[in-house]
Amino acid sequence: MKNIIVGIITFVILGAMVYTITQGTAFQGGNAAKIIENVSKTQNTVSQQNTQAPTEKSDRDIEAEKIKAIKDKAGNASTFKVSDNYKRKCASCHGVTGEGAVGLPLFGQSAEQLHAKLLEFKSGKRDNPIMKSAISNLNDDDFKELSTEIGEFKARAEAAK
């Protein structure tokens, strides 16, 4: 009787193992295995970079120098400071200096134009669900403050040159 029970349990376990193997990569490490593999490659790369001679520049340093050179050629409008209020409420879509990262560019527009557009979004005259949700908790004082600041971006950029 004991041998029959052990045989049945063994058969069930082997069946479960075969089922797991036939289900594919999800049961054999899947994406988790790839992540672990990538992490180990990254750690090896880091340790190899640390063994380089100190006179060689890393790829990251070379890239940073190239970006700095491009910004200097372009006039680098990001040299002026913006308020934390603008950074929190507008910069994620419109860029740190209003250049239009995801949303439309604001740079160069007047404070009056911007204030009027904000009021149109708030009233529903202009329809953009992202913009509507972004300004839903703002009042007219916030609109005036942000419009005034954004309207000054062009002058700030010229003063920073």
Side-chain angles (χ1 to χ4, degrees):
M1 185 65 175
K2 289 181 184 180
N3 290 339
I4 294 173
I5 294 174
V6 170
I8 291 173
I9 291 174
T10 304
F11 182 74
V12 169
I13 291 172
L14 288 174
M17 290 171 62
V18 169
Y19 174 77
T20 302
I21 290 170
T22 61
Q23 292 306 305
T25 59
F27 289 95
Q28 299 167 5
N31 288 334
K34 291 177 186 172
I35 291 170
I36 291 171
E37 187 176 305
N38 290 341
V39 168
S40 65
K41 286 180 184 176
T42 305
Q43 288 175 346
N44 290 339
T45 304
V46 170
S47 64
Q48 289 172 359
Q49 286 177 352
N50 291 339
T51 61
Q52 290 179 351
T55 57
E56 292 182 31
K57 291 183 179 181
S58 69
D59 291 339
R60 183 171 281 183
D61 292 337
I62 293 169
E63 187 174 323
E65 287 177 2
K66 287 180 182 178
I67 290 172
K68 184 180 183 305
I70 291 170
K71 283 183 178 179
D72 289 341
K73 283 183 183 177
N76 197 4
S78 65
T79 56
F80 61 89
K81 297 214 180 241
V82 296
S83 71
D84 288 336
N85 196 21
Y86 174 80
K87 286 179 186 176
R88 280 192 306 273
K89 297 176 180 161
C90 308
S92 61
C93 291
H94 296 288
V96 177
T97 56
E99 71 276 3
V102 175
L104 294 174
L106 303 175
F107 189 86
Q109 296 186 40
S110 72
E112 295 78 26
Q113 288 173 321
L114 294 164
H115 188 261
K117 288 177 183 178
L118 285 170
L119 292 176
E120 289 174 356
F121 279 116
K122 185 80 168 183
S123 69
K125 189 174 181 180
R126 285 180 176 246
D127 187 31
N128 184 319
I130 296 170
M131 202 48 199
K132 190 156 179 96
S133 66
I135 64 170
S136 64
N137 295 327
L138 302 178
N139 58 33
D140 196 47
D141 291 335
D142 293 326
F143 289 165
K144 287 178 184 174
E145 177 187 332
L146 290 167
S147 299
T148 302
E149 180 180 0
I150 297 166
E152 296 171 353
F153 281 2
K154 188 171 183 178
R156 289 182 188 180
E158 290 172 1
K161 285 184 180 178

